[in-house]
Amino acid sequence: MKKQIALFIISVCFGTAFAADGKEVYDKVCYKCHRSGVDDAPKPSDKAAWAPRLATGMEALYKSVIEGKGEMPPRADKPHLSDEELKAAVDYIVSQVK
Ligand code: HEC
């Protein structure tokens, strides 16, 4: 029984440590363009700018960030970020738009 509890605690700790934190990635990387609208980067507060983008679906938005789009460099110019981290950041932005 004790062993199971220990395993449970370990899995909870590692789960949080490794789960990509979209807000953190946004605050560190995406924010500098998306907050102020650098090069027309759509701001999370600008619903009208996001409406046509959201309509293309989440997969298309993930792809834009991973491969780059217009003035946005591939992987937001941070090659060390994993797909999971980039997607979590997109999810975070989208959660702020709604
Ligand atoms: C160097 C500035 C810059 C950075 C850093 C940046 N973006 Fe962008 N982003 C842009 C610009 C500019 C556009 C508009 C591109 C266009 O539509 O031509 C854009 C568009 C987008 C879109 C919409 C894509 C689409 O298909 O319409 C998403 C989603 C997005 N950014 C997410 C992110 C995320 C997540 C990050 C951080 C990991 C990030 N961006 C970092 C400049 C930036």
Side-chain angles (χ1 to χ4, degrees):
M1 192 60 194
K2 268 188 186 155
K3 201 174 166 191
Q4 276 163 330
I5 293 172
L7 281 177
F8 174 73
I9 293 171
I10 290 170
S11 63
V12 169
C13 297
F14 279 97
T16 350
F18 289 126
D21 185 342
K23 182 178 188 302
E24 197 182 315
V25 176
Y26 175 78
D27 287 345
K28 279 191 194 150
V29 180
C30 324
Y31 170 91
K32 65 171 178 158
C33 295
H34 282 274
R35 187 197 55 141
S36 50
V38 172
D39 294 326
D40 286 333
K43 300 180 204 176
S45 59
D46 190 347
K47 270 192 180 170
W50 280 99
R53 299 178 193 272
L54 293 176
T56 64
M58 292 307 291
E59 287 303 322
L61 298 182
Y62 295 152
K63 191 164 173 265
S64 298
V65 178
I66 292 168
E67 296 180 3
K69 182 179 183 193
E71 294 297 320
M72 179 162 61
R75 312 196 87 86
D77 216 15
K78 295 281 180 281
H80 66 275
L81 290 176
S82 66
D83 285 6
E84 194 184 59
E85 286 169 314
L86 293 168
K87 288 178 181 180
V90 175
D91 291 343
Y92 175 72
I93 295 183
V94 168
S95 77
Q96 299 299 300
V97 175
K98 282 176 194 162

